[in-house]
């Protein structure tokens, strides 16, 4: 005996197509709750329970195949097993037989194969078994067959991969399964125990869809389904990763004042002076009245400013007491790692910055620095106070690759 729900489905099929023929394009296809809140499943196909059909019955649309007690042709009692796709499982809900309680129930199953590829189908009978337990949300039994068992994949496969296994063709034919239902029930009247099983495939139906003949030689049923597309919006695009920045050593910088005022270090005879870089010879009055300043250049090999990088500025001033302060201001992305200032009377003995009057390292990439006071030296005769402004300059780069350093 068919239930009201399946009669409605059967009726719809009859009205829309030849008897028993499944009108897949017209029946409503609805959601699968695993899709609903998972934006990663946007565009994925899921097995649609509203498309379940019995292949051996001319693809008769059926979500709840019948089970019976007693004689197949004149059953003592009938019930049904409803299939559903819940999360990563096929659920089989065994409805109660009126007048009986379940003692046991099981689903025998076997994957037939991809519905669009009949040449690859496996042969019956179903030879895997899942046993059923009490249905937490009803009075019958519930069996869960994991998609991962059907597909023979790991139980920790992602739902997205499981769905693509269950729906190998996307939004169309899915897989076919051989199924058999069996178990035992106890009569509430006399406690007698009886077996139940699924009805064999129906071979003929009357105009109202009632089965009038069965293929009793076939103990199993063949269940097929189609897939539908998850109705969920795509995930918002990922936030872009904040760019990785790296502090790199950029090179040696020297302060420059002007073509007239800047003299090249390589004109000096001191140790280590045969290199690029400049010094100037400001008077104390010059430093006290407004001071001197200019760009800080890195990489002016052969004193060629056109090839150098202007990384910032420097300035030197003196107070009334004759104390000189040199300050640096670097332009981003350049920063200071070390500064060295030399203010001494010519001839300059050494040009290596480590030997200068004042030096400070470990500046931690500050953009500005002001030296402590340096006494303006009293130079006699033709000797002049020579000022060398030096810095070890770093650069902040995007990414992790540092440019080649200039000395
Ligand atoms: C039933 O459906 C299967 C799978 O979609 C298909 O291969 C088969 O041809 C259909 N049978 C009939 C009778 O329409």
């Amino acid at each position: 005996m068919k239930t009201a729900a399946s009669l409605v489905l059967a009726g719809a099929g009859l009205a829309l197509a030849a008897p028993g023929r499944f009108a897949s394009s017209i029946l409503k296809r609805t959601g699968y709750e695993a899709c609903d809140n998972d934006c990663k499943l946007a565009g994925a196909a899921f097995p649609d329970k509203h498309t379940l059909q019995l292949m051996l019955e001319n693809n008769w649309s059926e979500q709840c195949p019948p089970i019976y007690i007693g004689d197949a042709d004149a059953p003592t009692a009938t019930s049904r097993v409803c299939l559903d796709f819940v999360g990563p499982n096929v659920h089989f809900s065994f409805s109660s037989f009126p007048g009986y309680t379940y003692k046991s129930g099981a689903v025998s199953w076997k994957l037939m194969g991809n519905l669009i590829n009949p040449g690859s189908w496996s042969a019956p009978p179903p030879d895997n078994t899942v046993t059923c337990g009490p249905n937490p949300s009803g009075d019958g039994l519930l069996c869960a067959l994991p998609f991962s068992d059907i597909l023979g994949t790991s139980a920790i496969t992602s739902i997205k991969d499981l769905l693509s296994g269950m729906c190998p063709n996307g939004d169309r034919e899915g897989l076919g399964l051989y199924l058999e239902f069996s178990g035992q029930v106890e009569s509430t009247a006399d406690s007698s125990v009886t077996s139940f099983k699924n009805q064999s495939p129906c071979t003929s139906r009357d105009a109202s869809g009632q089965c009038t003949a069965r293929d009793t030689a076939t103990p199993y049923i063949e269940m097929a389904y189609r897939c539908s597309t998850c109705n969920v919006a795509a995930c918002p695009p990922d936030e872009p990763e904040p760019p990785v920045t790296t502090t790199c050593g950029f090179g040696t910088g020297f302060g420059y004042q002007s073509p007239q005022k800047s003299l090249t270090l390589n004109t000096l005879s001191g140790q280590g002076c045969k290199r690029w870089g400049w010094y100037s010879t400001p008077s104390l009055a010059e430093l006290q009245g407004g001071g001197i300043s200019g760009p800080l250049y890195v990489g002016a090999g052969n004193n060629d400013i056109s090839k150098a990088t202007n990384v910032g500025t420097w300035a030197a001033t003196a107070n009334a007491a004759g104390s000189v302060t040199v300050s640096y201001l670097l332009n981003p992305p350049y920063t200071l790692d070390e500064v060295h200032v030399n203010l001494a009377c010519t001839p300059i003995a050494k040009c290596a910055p480590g030997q200068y009057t004042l030096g400070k390292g470990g500046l931690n990439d500050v953009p500005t620095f002001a030296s402590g006071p340096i006494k303006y030296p009293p130079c006699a005769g033709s000797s002049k106070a020579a000022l060398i402004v030096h810095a070890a300059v770093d650069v902040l780069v995007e990414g992790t690759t540092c440019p080649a350093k200039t000395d």
Side-chain angles (χ1 to χ4, degrees):
M1 195 177 84
K2 290 193 78 75
T3 65
S6 50
L7 276 175
V8 169
L9 271 182
L14 284 170
L16 298 165
R21 200 56 205 271
F22 176 57
S24 62
S25 57
I26 299 172
L27 277 181
K28 186 171 172 252
R29 297 195 193 179
T30 54
Y32 160 69
E33 93 288 0
C35 290
D36 290 351
N37 297 310
D38 190 346
C39 65
K40 289 197 285 301
L41 297 181
F46 67 92
D48 189 337
K49 66 176 174 184
H50 294 105
T51 67
L52 286 161
Q53 56 193 101
L54 295 167
M55 296 175 73
L56 294 176
E57 303 181 26
N58 237 358
N59 291 336
W60 178 260
S61 171
E62 183 61 87
Q63 195 182 343
C64 301
I67 49 179
Y68 73 98
I69 301 167
D71 179 3
D73 294 325
T76 316
T78 61
S79 187
R80 57 186 196 152
V81 175
C82 289
L83 277 69
D84 196 357
F85 299 103
V86 179
N89 300 289
V90 185
H91 275 193
F92 299 89
S93 302
F94 289 56
S95 297
S96 295
F97 286 94
Y100 295 84
T101 55
Y102 278 106
K103 285 187 71 70
S104 66
V107 175
S108 295
W109 64 275
K110 184 177 193 177
L111 174 62
M112 175 189 295
N114 185 332
L115 291 176
I116 64 168
N117 193 3
S120 71
W121 290 350
S122 69
D127 51 7
N128 307 284
T129 304
V130 271
T131 53
C132 309
N135 191 338
S137 59
D139 56 354
L141 297 179
L142 181 67
C143 255
L145 171 57
F147 294 170
S148 57
D149 285 0
I150 295 172
L151 302 172
T153 60
S154 154
I156 58 162
T157 306
S158 73
I159 184 76
K160 191 168 185 181
D161 288 347
L162 289 172
L163 291 183
S164 74
M166 293 295 285
C167 297
N169 312 307
D171 179 16
R172 48 177 295 190
E173 290 91 336
L175 304 178
L177 293 169
Y178 300 109
L179 297 173
E180 257 181 270
F181 310 120
S182 60
Q184 293 196 311
V185 287
E186 183 176 305
S187 162
T188 46
D190 61 12
S191 297
S192 62
V193 173
T194 322
S195 296
F196 71 87
K197 74 179 299 299
N198 57 283
Q199 288 276 21
S200 290
C202 181
T203 51
S204 162
R205 292 178 191 272
D206 65 19
S208 71
Q210 291 279 11
C211 185
T212 52
R214 294 190 178 276
D215 169 19
T216 50
T218 303
Y220 55 87
I221 59 172
E222 292 181 5
M223 188 61 109
Y225 60 84
R226 296 179 66 94
C227 294
S228 297
T229 304
C230 282
N231 184 19
V232 63
C235 299
D238 288 343
E239 290 289 316
E241 293 278 322
V244 177
T245 56
T246 308
T247 302
C248 302
F250 186 62
T252 299
F254 281 99
Y256 183 82
Q257 192 181 351
S258 69
Q260 295 75 32
K261 305 266 185 172
S262 293
L263 308 164
T264 59
L265 294 181
N266 60 15
T267 60
L268 299 172
S269 53
Q271 192 189 326
C273 294
K274 295 290 169 259
R275 61 155 300 143
W276 74 270
W278 307 275
Y279 70 100
S280 49
T281 54
S283 67
L284 180 58
E286 222 179 331
L287 294 173
Q288 284 170 327
I292 61 171
S293 62
L296 189 69
Y297 285 122
V298 171
N302 299 321
N303 301 304
D304 183 354
I305 289 168
S306 71
K307 294 207 179 80
T309 305
N310 180 343
V311 297
T313 56
W314 64 277
T317 55
N319 65 12
S323 283
V324 179
T325 298
V326 177
S327 55
Y328 296 77
L329 171 60
L330 270 65
N331 304 323
Y334 303 103
T335 57
L336 290 167
D337 181 31
E338 278 179 37
V339 296
H340 294 98
V341 175
N342 200 47
L343 183 56
C345 296
T346 54
I348 301 296
K350 290 179 173 164
C351 284
Q355 315 287 332
Y356 291 0
T357 321
L358 180 142
K360 190 153 175 63
L363 293 181
N364 266 333
D365 296 303
V366 291
T368 62
F369 181 81
S371 75
I374 308 167
K375 187 85 191 129
Y376 188 86
C379 305
S382 63
S383 173
K384 287 182 176 172
L387 174 68
I388 310 176
V389 174
H390 160 270
V393 175
D394 283 347
V395 65
L396 206 62
V397 300
E398 235 176 72
T400 54
T401 311
C402 286
K405 217 177 143 179
T406 20
D407 190 25

